Amino acid sequence: MQETAHSLSLLVANRPGVLVRIALVFSRRGYNIDSLVVSPTLNPNFSRISIVARGNPEILIQIIKQLEKLIDVIHAKDHTDMSVVEKELALIKVRYELDQRAEILQLVEHFKANTIDMTENSMIIQITGNTDKIDAMKALCQKFKIVEYIRTGKVIMLRGEEET
Amino acid sequence: MTNHALSGAQIVIECLKREGVDTIFGYPGGSAIPMFDAILDTNIRMILSRHEQGATHMADGYARETGKVGVALVTSGPGATNTFTGIYTAMMDSVPLIILTAQTTTPNLGKDAFQECDTCGMTFPIVKHSYLVKNTNDLTRVMKEAFHIAQTGRPGPVLIDLPKDILAGPCTAPFIDKMDLPGYTIPTYADEEAVKQAAEYIKKSKKPLLLAGHGAMISGAGKWVKELAEKLNAPVTSTLLGLGTFPATHPLSLGMLGMHGTVYANKAVLDCDLIMSIGSRWDDRITGKLDEFCKDAVRLHIDIDPAEEGKVLQPHVFMCGDAKLVLEQLLPMVSKLDTEDWIKTVQTWKKRYPLTYPKQGGLRMQHVIHTVYKQTKGKAVVTVDVGQHQMWTAQFFGADYPRQLHNSGGAGTMGFGFPAAIGAAFGNTTDWPVCCFVGDGGFQMTLSELATAAIHKLPVKIFVLDNKFLGMVRQWQDLFYDKRYSGVNMEGNPDFVKLAESYGIPGLRIRRSADAERMIQKALAYNDGPILIHCECEKEDNVFPMIPAGAPISSMITEPPKTQLEKPTGST
């Protein structure tokens, strides 16, 4: 069975251990978590967890059901192929020769990214967007020397009026 | 109401009382002293076990017998870790337990303090839910939620970790009745459309088969299963844990299916055109090779746990709900089916392939179990350990009543049977004796509880079915591993009669089949507490029928094979 990436969104009660319980469901079923973002919601009693995970789609159905069984998980939804806004942020630290700087800045402008730190021979680029865009930016930066690279992982929000 | 005067430990005890708990099973230790101190001032019975695993299995046996929540209380560190086998056993079989584990003080958490361990962290995969209480004022809420979660929906163990300073500190929180658990829903009735769809399938069936599982028993659906079977004129088979939900002596009963099930139940599985599971989870012990299990039959599945849908096999219709309520929905939608021929066929199989055992040779475990069945007229509470004798009990003690036969099914925990008998004896409200069938291997895992049975003079008949082997493993080595016996010889067994006597428990010995009748009569007539019956059995007897693990049901073996068999592909 083909492994595919899935974007999940969970609403969870802010109780100790909830993250471990969730992680255990994935590991027991052999699913790899690519990224995981926990953030507060408007209600201080709950948090939103956005997970990107990779594996067999049939197993994913089971994982979602097992997640929903957890007392502290209010709901778990797979948003793959749904109308959602998915964003992540990446920081890319690039080292370059002085004569390459203009080319990099052009790239930054093209991707509507920002430079948030700069020295004579290095800069940190901040880029937000969907996964493909960030992957493309990273690929182009590889022409220079990428010293370090970090991504936040995807946050997911349903389009339209409804709550995610 | 506020409780300024009460300590955390007193609050926990008060909450137990409010939940109707009158018996708990436990073992103390440093961190748990506040709890054991608070118990002294109540009328809750604290049954002191000899090991925490024993206490947990006792609570489990008590819960299975009564349908109420079983409670175990232990100390931190090793006290807590010793309960894990028991918690896992309860989790696998959906048994409602509350495990109260004491803990080091909150400032010491995570500092490797004496007898500190991350109890919650270590038990996440084997509990339905758990709490580490870090604020005394959370206690009333946690206790209320824990009892609610343990016994509703698909029941299971809930662990509450109680740091010593929380137990000692004052609690001012009021007792509560309402809970706020937005992530917890309890299925009741199933989706009406799904039930209608199932009814349509049933109407078309000529060869239906009902499968009663533990879920049917937990839900108290026995009466409805019977009503449905009789209304449709459909045979009923049971899982190990479902035995008794539908009376074994009912003409439509086929007994247990699966690996060591009856020939006729397994033939019915092979031949049916529709199978409806009522609260079973298609365990690998019953399906054999999954791809071939009922592959051409319509598969209907009733389960209270939504995550069981499609977990093992894809049903045509899944009805998520409480077995009793779903059957209530279904019953008016169906009527008598044209199953005359089917029933005739099934009855022929029942006559042609009865469960038997060889009458020659030494004492057989089957003989002991069947004699107890006959002498008690099937009116006994029976707890069983794990292995060959467990399968023979399923075969030869035909349970007619729910909550009569207590097995560690999913976990297959050796050492369960005897402490579970003690728990069941405390919960037993009938005048039936509690009979425990236990092998020489499993008994030695928890036999220290002989003391517990002795001090409380519990009417437990302990049948130690001794073949001086770990019989089930030996059977596999015999059939599939060229008889290369490895690690199964129980040489060094004690003299079980003398052992019992050293605890003040009388012991009897049966060596020959001819003595079984008389000695069992004597054991059953004894009414001054526990009695141990050491049955020295045939050493190399094998359980048949048998479907090798992972094989299709059609490859069932009904008698000792003449040649070496292929190694099984399935798990264990």
Side-chain angles (χ1 to χ4, degrees):
Chain A
M1 184 79 61
Q2 187 71 41
E3 288 210 342
T4 44
H6 298 270
S7 307
L8 309 181
S9 165
L10 282 72
L11 185 66
V12 306
N14 280 332
R15 297 262 188 230
V18 62
L19 197 56
V20 184
R21 290 182 214 265
I22 290 167
L24 282 169
V25 171
F26 282 88
S27 72
R28 195 171 170 202
R29 292 293 183 140
Y31 243 69
N32 289 323
I33 295 179
D34 286 353
S35 73
L36 187 150
V37 182
V38 184
S39 69
T41 63
L42 294 172
N43 182 336
N45 295 326
F46 300 105
S47 290
R48 180 85 59 187
I49 300 183
S50 302
I51 296 176
V52 177
R54 198 172 290 280
N56 167 339
E58 272 177 29
I59 295 176
L60 184 78
I61 298 172
Q62 256 301 305
I63 287 182
I64 290 175
K65 285 180 180 160
Q66 298 289 347
L67 289 173
E68 292 213 301
K69 248 171 92 165
L70 297 173
I71 313 291
D72 291 336
V73 172
I74 316 303
H75 62 67
K77 290 178 187 162
D78 181 7
H79 292 295
T80 318
D81 304 327
M82 282 176 73
S83 181
V84 290
V85 179
E86 299 181 326
K87 294 286 174 205
E88 60 179 319
L89 180 147
L91 300 177
I92 307 173
K93 187 182 281 181
V94 187
R95 194 176 292 152
Y96 47 77
E97 300 302 323
L98 205 50
D99 59 352
Q100 294 175 307
R101 185 150 79 184
E103 190 183 343
I104 300 175
L105 286 172
Q106 250 180 349
L107 269 181
V108 168
E109 188 165 273
H110 177 80
F111 277 94
K112 297 198 168 55
N114 295 311
T115 54
I116 54 171
D117 181 61
M118 196 180 284
T119 67
E120 204 145 280
N121 293 99
S122 78
M123 68 170 85
I124 298 175
I125 302 164
Q126 172 190 298
I127 176 168
T128 54
N130 63 27
T131 304
D132 291 349
K133 177 181 166 187
I134 292 170
D135 288 346
M137 178 73 181
K138 185 193 158 216
L140 287 167
C141 285
Q142 253 149 1
K143 186 176 167 194
F144 318 98
K145 167 109 179 105
I146 298 178
V147 179
E148 199 182 342
Y149 153 77
I150 191 165
R151 295 164 81 137
T152 57
K154 238 194 277 195
V155 291
I156 304 154
M157 192 179 275
L158 210 56
R159 287 185 188 275
E161 276 176 53
E162 242 177 88
E163 226 181 292
T164 312
Chain B
M1 148 187 179
T2 51
N3 320 282
H4 296 281
L6 298 183
S7 71
Q10 288 169 318
I11 288 287
V12 172
I13 297 291
E14 181 58 31
C15 290
L16 291 175
K17 276 171 30 193
R18 283 167 185 253
E19 296 293 340
V21 174
D22 54 19
T23 308
I24 66 177
F25 303 89
Y27 202 97
S31 307
I33 293 176
M35 282 297 298
F36 281 80
D37 186 59
I39 288 172
L40 283 181
D41 301 324
T42 70
N43 49 9
I44 293 179
R45 277 191 298 189
M46 210 303 294
I47 309 302
L48 177 66
S49 67
R50 289 299 179 270
H51 188 286
E52 290 88 350
Q53 182 183 352
T56 321
H57 290 323
M58 286 176 204
D60 183 322
Y62 179 87
R64 290 182 203 239
E65 174 63 23
T66 59
K68 297 196 288 189
V69 178
V71 182
L73 166 64
V74 301
T75 194
S76 60
T81 58
N82 279 344
T83 65
F84 293 176
T85 302
I87 298 174
Y88 159 66
T89 304
M91 183 69 174
M92 288 296 271
D93 289 348
S94 310
V95 178
L97 290 190
I98 296 287
I99 313 292
L100 302 166
T101 54
Q103 182 56 280
T104 187
T105 57
T106 46
N108 267 333
L109 287 171
K111 294 183 184 167
D112 302 319
F114 178 64
Q115 292 192 334
E116 187 223 345
C117 75
D118 181 4
T119 307
C120 277
M122 293 163 94
T123 50
F124 280 136
I126 53 167
V127 294
K128 183 172 177 188
H129 197 50
S130 55
Y131 297 90
L132 167 57
V133 184
K134 287 189 173 170
N135 181 336
T136 306
N137 283 334
D138 286 341
L139 281 171
T140 53
R141 173 183 63 81
V142 166
M143 292 295 291
K144 186 82 202 165
E145 288 180 7
F147 269 85
H148 176 65
I149 291 168
Q151 60 191 318
T152 52
R154 179 178 186 167
V158 177
L159 182 142
I160 307 171
D161 205 19
L162 298 161
K164 195 174 184 179
D165 52 333
I166 300 298
L167 292 174
C171 174
T172 52
F175 294 104
I176 53 162
D177 291 316
K178 276 208 179 120
M179 281 164 287
D180 182 26
L181 291 166
Y184 185 61
T185 44
I186 305 161
T188 53
Y189 289 97
D191 172 47
E192 192 74 10
E193 277 312 305
V195 183
K196 268 188 201 156
Q197 223 184 327
E200 285 309 311
Y201 277 118
I202 292 173
K203 277 178 204 162
K204 285 182 222 141
S205 171
K206 295 257 186 294
K207 296 189 280 182
L209 177 63
L210 304 180
L211 165 58
H214 198 200
M217 186 187 292
I218 294 167
S219 145
K223 187 174 147 246
W224 285 264
V225 174
K226 185 158 169 266
E227 206 174 309
L228 181 68
E230 288 171 354
K231 189 170 186 187
L232 299 176
N233 199 24
V236 182
T237 182
S238 294
T239 64
L240 178 66
L241 295 186
L243 290 172
T245 310
F246 186 73
T249 49
H250 194 287
L252 288 170
S253 167
L254 302 183
M256 183 174 75
L257 79 167
M259 184 175 277
H260 293 295
T262 63
V263 174
Y264 35 96
N266 285 327
K267 278 189 166 292
V269 169
L270 281 174
D271 208 36
C272 69
D273 64 6
L274 178 143
I275 184 165
M276 180 159 89
S277 159
I278 307 165
S280 111
R281 55 185 173 79
W282 312 112
D283 183 88
D284 54 278
R285 296 281 108 154
I286 69 169
T287 61
K289 190 176 182 193
L290 199 56
D291 301 344
E292 292 184 35
F293 179 79
C294 290
K295 68 174 193 295
D296 300 320
V298 171
R299 300 174 299 268
L300 309 178
H301 189 180
I302 299 172
D303 208 300
I304 200 162
D305 180 354
E308 287 301 333
E309 179 180 9
K311 187 185 84 178
V312 173
L313 66 80
Q314 210 55 55
H316 291 71
V317 184
F318 184 76
M319 290 161 273
C320 184
D322 181 289
K324 184 171 77 185
L325 301 179
V326 180
L327 291 181
E328 236 173 57
Q329 285 174 283
L330 180 66
L331 270 159
M333 298 185 195
V334 295
S335 48
K336 191 172 183 329
L337 300 174
D338 174 20
T339 54
E340 291 287 305
D341 289 347
W342 173 234
I343 295 296
K344 225 178 267 169
T345 312
V346 170
Q347 296 299 356
T348 318
W349 290 333
K350 273 181 92 165
K351 279 198 198 83
R352 194 180 304 160
Y353 308 103
L355 287 165
T356 56
Y357 55 90
K359 301 287 186 289
Q360 74 281 12
L363 180 66
R364 306 267 175 181
M365 295 188 185
Q366 304 91 308
H367 182 65
V368 174
I369 295 160
H370 199 217
T371 306
V372 173
Y373 172 74
K374 285 188 294 190
Q375 289 196 6
T376 58
K377 299 187 174 63
K379 290 189 163 55
V381 171
V382 176
T383 76
V384 202
D385 211 66
V386 170
Q388 289 185 314
H389 70 279
Q390 179 187 31
M391 294 297 103
W392 280 321
T393 304
Q395 293 178 347
F396 293 100
F397 199 103
D400 274 343
Y401 307 92
R403 300 195 180 282
Q404 175 180 15
L405 194 57
H406 306 302
N407 268 286
S408 163
T413 302
M414 282 175 70
F416 167 85
F418 176 47
I422 295 175
F426 277 110
N428 183 13
T429 52
T430 66
D431 55 359
W432 298 357
V434 177
C435 296
C436 170
F437 295 116
V438 58
D440 49 317
F443 184 52
Q444 289 182 78
M445 288 189 173
T446 46
L447 62 70
S448 53
E449 305 305 342
L450 280 168
T452 318
I455 9 179
H456 296 282
K457 282 200 171 280
L458 293 174
V460 178
K461 322 286 177 194
I462 311 155
F463 291 90
V464 179
L465 302 170
D466 178 10
N467 55 8
K468 296 171 182 64
F469 268 123
L470 297 177
M472 191 56 99
V473 179
R474 188 207 49 74
Q475 171 168 347
W476 280 48
Q477 292 174 344
D478 176 7
L479 297 177
F480 310 114
Y481 289 81
D482 292 316
K483 230 178 167 141
R484 284 155 55 89
Y485 291 168
S486 176
V488 291
N489 193 334
M490 286 279 103
E491 199 178 310
N493 276 351
D495 179 328
F496 290 106
V497 169
K498 278 191 190 157
L499 180 82
E501 282 167 354
S502 72
Y503 281 95
I505 296 174
L508 301 173
R509 207 182 309 269
I510 314 179
R511 285 203 174 97
R512 301 179 314 137
S513 309
D515 298 334
E517 194 83 29
R518 190 171 46 87
M519 297 306 266
I520 290 170
Q521 214 157 28
K522 210 168 155 187
L524 290 172
Y526 181 75
N527 61 7
D528 194 27
I531 183 164
L532 183 146
I533 308 91
H534 182 202
C535 309
E536 291 185 36
C537 297
E538 190 70 31
K539 286 187 74 175
E540 300 188 50
D541 207 354
N542 289 340
V543 185
F544 295 106
M546 177 181 194
I547 301 164
I553 292 173
S554 53
S555 54
M556 179 168 45
I557 312 160
T558 55
E559 53 187 39
K562 305 272 184 293
T563 54
Q564 190 68 30
L565 302 170
E566 295 264 323
K567 276 185 192 145
T569 53
S571 74
T572 53

